[in-house]
Amino acid sequence: MGTIDIKSITRKNILELSPYSSARDEFQGQANILMDANENPFNTPLNRYPDPHQREVKKLIAGIVKLDEESIFLGNGSDEAIDLLIRAFCEPGISNIISIDPSYGMYEVCANINNVKFHKVLLNSDFTINAETLLQVTDSSSRIIFLCSPNNPTSNLLEYKSILKVVIDFPGLVVVDEAYIDFSSSKGMIDDIKNFNNLVVLRTFSKAWGMAGIRLGMAFANKQIISILDKIKYPYNVSSLTQDAIIQLLTHKNKHDEWIKTIISQREILRNQLSGLSFVIEIFPSDANFLLVKTNNPTAIYNYLKDNGIIVRDRSKVSLCEGCLRITIGSPKENAELINTLKNYR
């Protein structure tokens, strides 16, 4: 399969919706005087609304991922795309969503906000997925499966063949969240979008690109899916400040490559140093920019670090993560300070 009738899983009211048409939707090109959008004529250039379609940014991204611009959605972080996918394809009180456990918490939060049932399928003990088990949980009301790969907080890349089986066998949308893909050896699943119209791939500028503060997420999918997301998004959902910052970043891509190499190198250095600490039980393999570290007393270690001005994430109450702290890879100086502080923990 992997090819579905997108209209058949889209909410009827969304199909029939007449989207809001902004002033900048009705005019394209250059003009000397703009008197169409009730903007303040002073404080140029921030007095003007941003491009609602982010054309220049999408053109640059399209050149990187080798997709048409019509297959790209840009939003206020990946969370906007997650929310819009649920709103477009899930009928409140009727549809349901499937995801893995543990995983990124916003899938469930967005489902709950939209009154859509959310089913979690426990990962295997080694944090891998069983595609058959996942598919068995689905029913005729299942509309979306969310898979985070590399997964948060387990840090591992999900097996490509298992994801592909879900994409092929599930008659709904399969959303693969690749926020951390740049830190893995995988090229991800963007190329597969050309073959499967039910596949949606999420990426972000928050991690490898070092731009979490500007809030820009990406969704890549079949043009029909992207057109539906564009139809229901807020008119000017990505600010001109954000668009300008991304344009500047993408024209200096060498920084991105350097950052990734440094983080991956530091990940291995930090792993080796953490493994020598007596209270560290296990460090799980990581394809992300963080390590999941099993300790003998996560709460005490977390509080100790906090008291010393270092904040990590206590994940010990998350499924399959008993005793675990999630530690983001910092700069060489930050990582060294973390290790020096932990060496004094008693």
Side-chain angles (χ1 to χ4, degrees), residues 255-272:
K255 290 184 179 180
H256 164 261
D257 298 333
E258 291 172 8
W259 294 337
I260 292 172
K261 288 179 182 178
T262 300
I263 290 170
I264 291 175
S265 173
Q266 285 294 308
R267 183 177 69 194
E268 297 314 305
I269 292 171
L270 192 58
R271 172 192 297 280
N272 292 334

Side-chain angles (χ1 to χ4, degrees), residues 35-48:
M35 304 176 75
D36 59 341
N38 299 337
E39 298 155 323
N40 187 321
F42 308 110
N43 197 36
T44 303
L46 296 181
N47 61 324
R48 300 300 178 190

Side-chain angles (χ1 to χ4, degrees), residues 28 42 51 112 129 134 143 165 179 201 209 232 282 321:
Q28 295 184 29
F42 308 110
D51 174 9
N112 290 338
I129 62 169
L134 198 65
R143 290 292 176 266
K165 177 174 177 55
V201 175
W209 292 96
I232 65 175
E282 183 175 3
C321 296

Side-chain angles (χ1 to χ4, degrees), residues 193-290:
I193 288 168
K194 300 169 185 175
N195 301 318
F196 305 104
N197 79 336
N198 66 327
L199 174 63
V200 181
V201 175
L202 302 180
R203 291 195 181 178
T204 181
F205 282 96
S206 295
K207 311 300 180 183
W209 292 96
M211 298 292 260
I214 69 168
R215 308 307 302 129
L216 189 67
M218 300 166 279
F220 304 96
N222 173 275
K223 296 176 184 179
Q224 192 175 4
I225 293 174
I226 297 301
S227 68
I228 293 170
L229 298 183
D230 284 335
K231 185 179 183 180
I232 65 175
K233 76 175 182 68
Y234 289 122
Y236 303 106
N237 63 323
V238 179
S239 76
S240 56
L241 294 173
T242 292
Q243 293 186 47
D244 289 345
I246 290 300
I247 290 167
Q248 289 297 313
L249 181 70
L250 293 181
T251 54
H252 299 86
K253 187 176 178 293
N254 58 309
K255 290 184 179 180
H256 164 261
D257 298 333
E258 291 172 8
W259 294 337
I260 292 172
K261 288 179 182 178
T262 300
I263 290 170
I264 291 175
S265 173
Q266 285 294 308
R267 183 177 69 194
E268 297 314 305
I269 292 171
L270 192 58
R271 172 192 297 280
N272 292 334
Q273 292 177 329
L274 286 168
S275 65
L277 301 175
S278 61
F279 48 83
V280 171
I281 298 171
E282 183 175 3
I283 304 172
F284 296 95
S286 176
D287 296 294
N289 69 331
F290 59 87

